[in-house]
Amino acid sequence: MKLSFCTDSLGHLPFEQMLDKLLELGVYGVEMTTGGWSSAPHLRTETLLGSATQRQQLLRALESRGMSIAALNVSGNPLDPGELGNKHKRDTENALALAGELGVKKIVMMSGLPPASPHDTIPNWITYTVSWPPTLKNCLDYQWNEVAIPYWQGLVARAKESGVEKFALENFSSMLVWNPETLFRLRNAVGDMVGLNLDPSHLLWMGADPIAAARALGPAIHHCHGKDVRLERGLVNINGLLETKPVEDVANRAWNYVAVGCGQDLQWWKEFFSVVRMVGYNDWVSLEMEDLTMSVDAGITSSIAALKQTLSQ
């Protein structure tokens, strides 16, 4: 496995300064954000699509440093029924086109989340149906069969035209694909080009075991994020794992995204990466640093140190 970096966390630095910073830290791969919810601070997709010269300059900046693009990231909600969804669809199409021009084979994104019916305007993350109210089962069937699967069938066909080989969907909340089971539902419907971007932090706060998830996923692991979460002792015992407070309210939340090693210890991370490697994944692991309990630089430095000690290389 090789260590890469999701570039938004260094969005305050110009592109080549960001590369030099990563090089100093011993990171040789970048997961470049291209749109969606990201402002794409280092990469202007439409500009690059219109200029072969600028594409070559970007590639030379990487190659001169011995660095590579691990993936293009276009995380957003292309299934939103409004203008946001239209923008994220365009961003996704542009990311595929740019991947084709740059020779990038992997796209990291999210599955998307539609509304619960064709009459609704707000996406609806349905996580409880059981037997009541029975209409929720119909809503889920609509989201999957009428919206998500047709969209993804078309997107897979489009990706093949661009030379993209893998979609890696982050198991993120408020998305139709948020765990291994939902990933396999989509994968079985549209093909094995679709796999998971295995992010252990989300599974942990949902109450799952990422190591068991890795065993279940096997070759369906298409990418991996190095990202940790801490269940805050005392608070999570009182209020449970569901949390609606803003991520900035770190002192009062039941769980927080934290630097790698500040949630699970390094022995846990060694086992996690060992199992991920054992089931067949031997590619990039991208640090996604979203710890708001410390400075960005401190979070990046400590996370990289932890990942270097625990990656199965």
Side-chain angles (χ1 to χ4, degrees):
M1 295 185 193
K2 300 172 288 184
L3 180 58
S4 57
F5 185 85
C6 193
T7 53
D8 270 5
S9 298
L10 289 175
H12 60 287
L13 295 178
F15 175 62
E16 295 209 29
Q17 288 185 34
M18 179 268 294
L19 296 183
D20 289 337
K21 173 73 171 177
L22 294 178
L23 204 58
E24 291 173 7
L25 295 168
V27 178
Y28 292 89
V30 286
E31 182 180 323
M32 299 291 299
T33 52
T34 66
W37 281 308
S38 170
S39 63
H42 301 110
L43 189 152
R44 293 290 173 260
T45 305
E46 292 183 355
T47 301
L48 287 167
L49 284 172
S51 173
T53 299
Q54 291 197 31
R55 293 196 299 271
Q56 289 302 314
Q57 289 173 345
L58 180 146
L59 292 173
R60 279 197 296 270
L62 290 161
E63 291 165 0
S64 66
R65 294 168 172 82
M67 302 177 75
S68 305
I69 298 176
L72 296 184
N73 185 312
V74 62
S75 293
N77 185 6
L79 304 184
D80 183 286
E83 181 51 38
L84 178 75
N86 291 332
K87 176 189 180 299
H88 290 180
K89 284 186 177 76
R90 292 193 299 270
D91 289 346
T92 301
E93 292 289 328
N94 286 338
L96 290 177
L98 184 60
E101 296 292 345
L102 296 177
V104 175
K105 302 301 182 183
K106 187 191 299 184
I107 301 290
V108 176
M109 57 183 295
M110 296 171 182
S111 65
L113 181 72
S117 82
H119 310 294
D120 293 343
T121 60
I122 299 174
N124 192 330
W125 191 37
I126 300 169
T127 58
Y128 180 85
T129 59
V130 189
S131 60
W132 189 263
T135 52
L136 290 180
K137 173 65 166 59
N138 297 334
C139 293
L140 271 176
D141 288 343
Y142 165 77
Q143 289 179 312
W144 279 98
N145 300 328
E146 302 299 321
V147 183
I149 290 173
Y151 171 77
W152 274 97
Q153 287 172 334
L155 196 62
V156 164
R158 173 70 182 83
K160 290 177 180 177
E161 295 173 0
S162 297
V164 169
E165 297 175 354
K166 291 182 178 181
F167 285 106
L169 306 187
E170 186 171 350
N171 48 282
F172 190 68
S173 56
S174 297
M175 291 287 131
L176 273 186
V177 171
W178 49 276
N179 62 8
E181 183 175 67
T182 50
L183 180 278
F184 282 121
R185 180 170 182 175
L186 185 61
R187 181 179 169 94
N188 291 340
V190 305
D192 61 8
M193 180 183 280
V194 171
L196 202 70
N197 167 26
L198 179 56
D199 186 324
S201 67
H202 306 312
L203 290 172
L204 286 163
W205 75 253
M206 292 177 190
D209 179 352
I211 296 171
R215 289 181 181 273
L217 287 162
I221 301 174
H222 282 186
H223 194 62
C224 193
H225 270 178
K227 185 177 171 187
D228 208 345
V229 80
R230 183 171 62 235
L231 307 184
E232 301 294 359
R233 61 181 69 193
L235 294 178
V236 74
N237 306 85
I238 296 168
N239 293 320
L241 295 169
L242 302 182
E243 180 57 86
T244 59
K245 298 181 189 70
V247 292
E248 296 84 3
D249 190 12
V250 291
N252 296 303
R253 285 174 55 86
W255 57 266
N256 287 297
Y257 297 123
V258 292
V260 177
C262 292
Q264 320 313 303
D265 63 24
L266 296 193
Q267 180 58 40
W268 185 94
W269 281 98
K270 287 179 181 179
E271 182 181 356
F272 172 71
F273 287 128
S274 176
V275 171
V276 169
R277 177 67 188 91
M278 182 179 69
V279 300
Y281 185 77
N282 192 27
D283 204 347
W284 296 101
V285 174
S286 288
L287 168 60
E288 187 180 27
M289 217 300 289
E290 295 181 353
D291 189 333
L292 299 181
T293 72
M294 61 178 73
S295 71
V296 172
D297 283 346
I300 290 172
T301 302
S302 59
S303 292
I304 287 175
L307 288 169
K308 284 183 175 181
Q309 293 179 69
T310 55
L311 278 177
S312 298
Q313 299 186 47

